[in-house]
Amino acid sequence: MGKELSSSPDGILAYRTRFKQVMDEEATVREAELREKVALEQGVELDAREANEKTACNLLKMNMDIQVIAKATGLSREHIEELRDKMNLF
C-alpha cells in the first residue's frame, strides 16, 4: 500500500535532504519569476523614458520653452538641457 516513513537515521536524513532540495527548487523558481518581473518593469520604464526623451527632443526642435517641455514630459529641466546640448541647439 502506502510507503511508511522510516524513522531510522538514514530515513530521516533522506527525508530532510529531499525536503531541502524541494524548498531550494521552489526558491529558485520564485527568484527567477521575481527577476523576470523586475526586468520587465525596468524595460517598461526605460521605454517610457526613451519616449519622453524623443518627445522632448522634438519639442526642443520646435523651440518650445524648457519649463513647458519638463512639465509635458516629466523630465527634469537639467535633463532636457543636457538633451538640448547634445543636439547642439542653443
Side-chain angles (χ1 to χ4, degrees):
M1 303 251 167
K3 288 187 175 181
E4 296 291 324
L5 290 177
S6 174
S7 60
S8 70
D10 288 341
I12 293 172
L13 179 61
Y15 170 80
R16 288 182 178 166
T17 301
R18 177 67 182 133
F19 181 77
K20 182 181 180 325
Q21 181 183 13
V22 169
M23 296 303 290
D24 288 346
E25 289 170 0
E26 288 180 10
T28 300
V29 168
R30 282 193 307 270
E31 184 177 342
E33 290 170 346
L34 180 61
R35 287 178 189 241
E36 182 179 0
K37 180 181 175 185
V38 168
L40 179 62
E41 289 171 356
Q42 288 175 343
V44 169
E45 289 174 13
L46 287 176
D47 288 345
R49 182 173 179 91
E50 287 176 8
N52 285 336
E53 287 176 347
K54 286 181 183 180
T55 300
C57 289
N58 288 334
L59 294 173
L60 284 167
K61 290 175 187 175
M62 297 169 56
N63 295 318
M64 295 287 292
D65 181 67
I66 289 180
Q67 198 62 29
V68 172
I69 298 172
K71 189 172 183 178
T73 62
L75 299 174
S76 71
R77 180 180 180 89
E78 293 79 17
H79 188 74
I80 295 167
E81 289 172 350
E82 288 175 13
L83 291 172
R84 180 196 61 198
D85 294 343
K86 287 179 185 176
M87 295 170 56
N88 295 318
L89 297 174
F90 294 94

